[in-house]
Amino acid sequence: MTKIGLAYINGAVPGFEDFGCLPTDIVKENGLVNGNKASDELDALIIPGGTLIESNDINMGLNTEIKKMARDGKPIIGICAGFQLLSNQIDIGRKSPVPIVKPGLGLIDVNFSPLITSDRVKAKVFKNSFLVKNQDEDANGFHTHTYGKVEGDAKPLFYSQVQRMNYGDTNKKGDYNIFSGACNDDGNVIGTMIHGILDENPIIKNNLLEQIDATDIDDIYTKNMEVKRFLRSEVGINTGIEIPSIDPIKKPKYLMIGSNGSDSGKTFIITGLAGALTKRGYKVALLKVGPDVRDIIPGLYLTKGKMEDFASIKIGHLGWRDIESTINTLNNSDYDIVLIEGVMSVFTGLLNEKVPFSAAEIAMSSNIPMILASGVNKGGIESAAIDLVSHANMLEKFGVDVEAILLNKVYNDDIFDNVVPYIKNNTSVENVLKLPKLKSADMRGFIPEVEIRYELFTSHAMNLIEENLDIDLIIDMAREVEFNKIYSFDEIKSKVI
């Protein structure tokens, strides 16, 4: 039978996309497939995205097998971090005064450095590999990465149309402005920054099947179902935490994690909740208000969930899909719980006439309940409490139900205990929660916008959430919702004034 391997290693996100429903076998860090060398067993290999370079979990066993398959002319497709692995080197020193250079395998003659993009894209195709034969139209997919600047002399495969990079609009002309795919001289070792390249482009998928002389297509798809069952049987990767089977919830329940500003720990909180809920058997959908879906990837690392096309909720011209169609799609899905991560403060952009432009407006549109969080590391616990009271009362004025206030990174329990009565006496919020400061969070590898190691970040997030929050209480805060309306700018302004 035709065998297509999928790398299953710490830092990878093998459930992030379906890869054309082609992977038939799991390849672990030792480079073995069912006890045999991958180079002997496999006809092709797919290396998924993730934090493979930051995690340093590609060992010599898998490296050796990748190089052997490349020499044998077998197709190897590296996506995002998988592409980085196949390159010469990667500078992961974003916000570092000096480059932090990690070596790749040197199979594709390119180098990587920091560049943030999170767009749905179309990409111009250059026919330098079997993979893009007959692909006369632009290829479709999406970008979501921090280290995506590709430079080098390798044969190009794709240039993407990216509208935003490094948090700014840069491409109003719609140019093909990002080098997003390349291959080796023989065309069998392929790297691309485009996620969904096999899912959204049937010609490209069929080219791979043709290249490996696959005639047993039905058997491949059947075996792929077994691979997916395996992926979804474990929380995270190599944790040994099994996901139990439970009766599904008839209709998904929603909960937003909002905040009073950046650096509140929303990503850390939603990641830990996603893991804790998955550990109980719930199927969790993860959404981000606005375009930066990188923030929900650590949660998807734990849930093995797919990056859905509704994962990025539009605010103005930013994001992938509007809240109305997102709610309608989710309410007809098999998800149990929907966790939505806000953007910046819940009120950031509220008085911008591009509607909707804030997390508060998204919550208002569909009566989505909220946990309102704040990090206490900048202004102290007392200042955070005062700010949260103000935010909670304004949200109540807008009709948003704040189910809990959460103080994150708490460094003194006595001060926290003293602000709880103040919060309860000055809001209608019954639940005041806390998460302690995580001392090791100062390390690189804990900051999603800079450098993150998924296996490290996610294990700490899930453990801290489970040790300090009542998960049953959190589940009770979530509820079914329906889309109601997007409030006009004048309606919003009248509520504020």
Side-chain angles (χ1 to χ4, degrees), residues 2 11 32 39 50 69 91 121 173 289 298 323 348 402 424 472 497:
T2 304
L32 301 182
S39 58
M69 290 184 69
D91 171 14
V121 301
K173 295 180 180 179
V289 178
I323 184 61
T348 301
V402 178
K424 289 189 174 183
D472 289 324
I497 296 172

Side-chain angles (χ1 to χ4, degrees), residues 226-488:
E226 294 180 18
V227 168
K228 287 180 178 176
R229 280 194 290 271
F230 169 77
L231 294 180
R232 293 166 185 161
S233 69
E234 180 183 32
V235 179
I237 293 180
N238 297 325
T239 63
I241 302 172
E242 295 185 5
I243 301 174
S245 295
I246 62 170
D247 292 332
I249 295 176
K250 292 182 179 179
K251 192 173 180 181
K253 296 182 178 181
Y254 296 69
L255 185 64
M256 180 181 287
I257 310 301
S259 73
N260 63 343
S262 297
D263 197 32
S264 60
K266 293 187 296 293
T267 298
F268 190 84
I269 293 165
I270 206 167
T271 297
L273 288 174
L277 292 168
T278 300
K279 190 173 175 180
R280 290 180 171 223
Y282 294 103
K283 185 174 182 181
V284 180
L286 294 171
L287 279 62
K288 172 71 178 181
V289 178
D292 200 0
V293 291
R294 292 177 307 149
D295 290 344
I296 63 173
I297 301 176
L300 294 175
Y301 179 80
L302 290 176
T303 67
K304 302 288 184 47
K306 186 179 176 183
M307 179 65 81
E308 304 278 14
D309 62 1
F310 49 75
S312 164
I313 301 172
K314 272 194 170 183
I315 46 175
H317 72 291
L318 305 174
W320 296 359
R321 191 161 162 186
D322 66 272
I323 184 61
E324 180 177 6
S325 64
T326 294
I327 295 292
N328 291 338
T329 298
L330 279 164
N331 282 347
N332 290 286
S333 73
D334 62 349
Y335 284 105
D336 298 310
I337 296 177
V338 181
L339 298 178
I340 304 173
E341 180 176 341
V343 57
M344 302 179 74
S345 160
V346 290
F347 296 124
T348 301
L350 185 73
L351 296 179
N352 190 310
E353 290 194 58
K354 298 176 182 178
V355 178
F357 205 76
S358 68
E361 288 164 273
I362 296 300
M364 290 167 62
S365 76
S366 308
N367 298 315
I368 300 169
M370 183 183 296
I371 294 176
L372 182 62
S374 176
V376 304
N377 52 311
K378 290 186 176 179
I381 297 172
E382 302 91 340
S383 295
I386 294 169
D387 200 11
L388 286 167
V389 166
S390 176
H391 274 68
N393 288 333
M394 183 61 79
L395 285 167
E396 183 179 9
K397 188 175 180 180
F398 286 165
V400 176
D401 291 332
V402 178
E403 294 288 335
I405 281 176
L406 191 159
L407 282 82
N408 188 28
K409 308 176 188 178
V410 170
Y411 52 83
N412 185 301
D413 288 345
D414 291 336
I415 299 175
F416 170 80
D417 291 339
N418 284 327
V419 303
V420 170
Y422 165 76
I423 293 172
K424 289 189 174 183
N425 289 337
N426 288 279
T427 69
S428 60
V429 180
E430 295 182 5
N431 301 298
V432 181
L433 313 175
K434 70 174 179 181
L435 288 173
K437 181 180 179 182
L438 185 65
K439 294 180 181 179
S440 58
D442 294 328
M443 300 164 49
R444 287 186 70 93
F446 275 89
I447 307 173
E449 297 83 0
V450 180
E451 176 190 333
I452 184 169
R453 295 176 58 190
Y454 289 154
E455 79 291 346
L456 185 67
F457 183 91
T458 59
S459 64
H460 281 283
M462 187 166 66
N463 290 340
L464 203 71
I465 289 290
E466 288 189 311
E467 290 169 3
N468 293 277
L469 298 184
D470 182 343
I471 302 303
D472 289 324
L473 177 63
I474 301 296
I475 294 170
D476 288 341
M477 293 176 189
R479 65 167 178 264
E480 297 177 8
V481 306
E482 296 285 349
F483 175 79
N484 180 23
K485 62 177 286 188
I486 295 296
Y487 287 79
S488 70

Side-chain angles (χ1 to χ4, degrees), residues 192-203:
T192 181
M193 300 308 292
I194 304 172
H195 293 281
I197 197 72
L198 294 170
D199 292 336
E200 301 187 29
N201 304 281
I203 291 173

